[in-house]
Amino acid sequence: MIHQAKSLRAFIGAKDFKESRSFYRELGFQESIISEKMSLFTVDQLGFYLQDYYVKDWLDNFMMFLEVDSVDRYWQELQQLQLPEKYPLARLEKVREDDWGKVCFLHDPSGALWHFGEFY
């Protein structure tokens, strides 16, 4: 199969679409509204779709990995945003070090788990 891939985007559901849109904008993503029930969120050339659709089992098992240049710096920036204080269901977990690199975790208001990682 010969093709030129241009992007790869996941679909993330939202329990409270308005709250999740606000959460991702605060996290630094740029929002492009597609419809009243879907938005595209991007940072640099990367993106995902946020949709006004919620299935608890799906979101409780959904994970995204975003590679960053410095997990330690990203962790500091995440703490400064105070997202868990603003969004009661959001949870931020400390940096962990492994043999492959470093990672910290952030649960969004709907339960999706983000990994922010840095490879050695």
Side-chain angles (χ1 to χ4, degrees):
M1 193 164 61
I2 299 172
H3 57 84
Q4 183 179 9
K6 294 185 178 185
S7 71
L8 179 66
R9 298 179 183 161
F11 288 79
I12 301 177
K15 188 172 188 177
D16 179 329
F17 189 57
K18 183 178 178 182
E19 177 184 51
S20 290
R21 289 174 60 208
S22 176
F23 175 86
Y24 284 110
R25 286 191 305 262
E26 280 199 62
L27 197 51
F29 289 94
Q30 298 297 312
E31 180 181 20
S32 298
I33 297 171
I34 295 173
S35 72
E36 65 182 46
K37 294 189 175 264
M38 185 178 293
S39 288
L40 171 64
F41 283 86
T42 58
V43 62
D44 298 324
Q45 298 297 317
L46 309 173
F48 64 91
Y49 295 106
L50 181 71
Q51 54 187 345
D52 189 4
Y53 181 76
Y54 178 74
V55 175
K56 183 176 178 6
D57 287 343
W58 169 40
L59 281 158
D60 284 350
N61 290 288
F62 185 87
M63 293 184 278
M64 290 283 283
F65 186 98
L66 178 64
E67 183 180 357
V68 297
D69 62 339
S70 171
V71 169
D72 293 323
R73 187 179 71 244
Y74 204 81
W75 166 252
Q76 294 299 322
E77 292 171 0
L78 285 171
Q79 286 184 300
Q80 291 172 3
L81 292 175
Q82 299 180 333
L83 296 171
E85 288 79 16
K86 298 173 188 174
Y87 304 92
L89 297 177
R91 292 190 338 260
L92 183 58
E93 298 179 30
K94 295 181 181 179
V95 174
R96 296 183 194 172
E97 195 161 350
D98 206 335
D99 57 347
W100 57 267
K102 294 181 180 181
V103 65
C104 66
F105 304 95
L106 176 65
H107 295 260
D108 84 355
S110 300
L113 175 60
W114 282 81
H115 298 71
F116 301 105
E118 170 188 354
F119 297 104
Y120 292 136

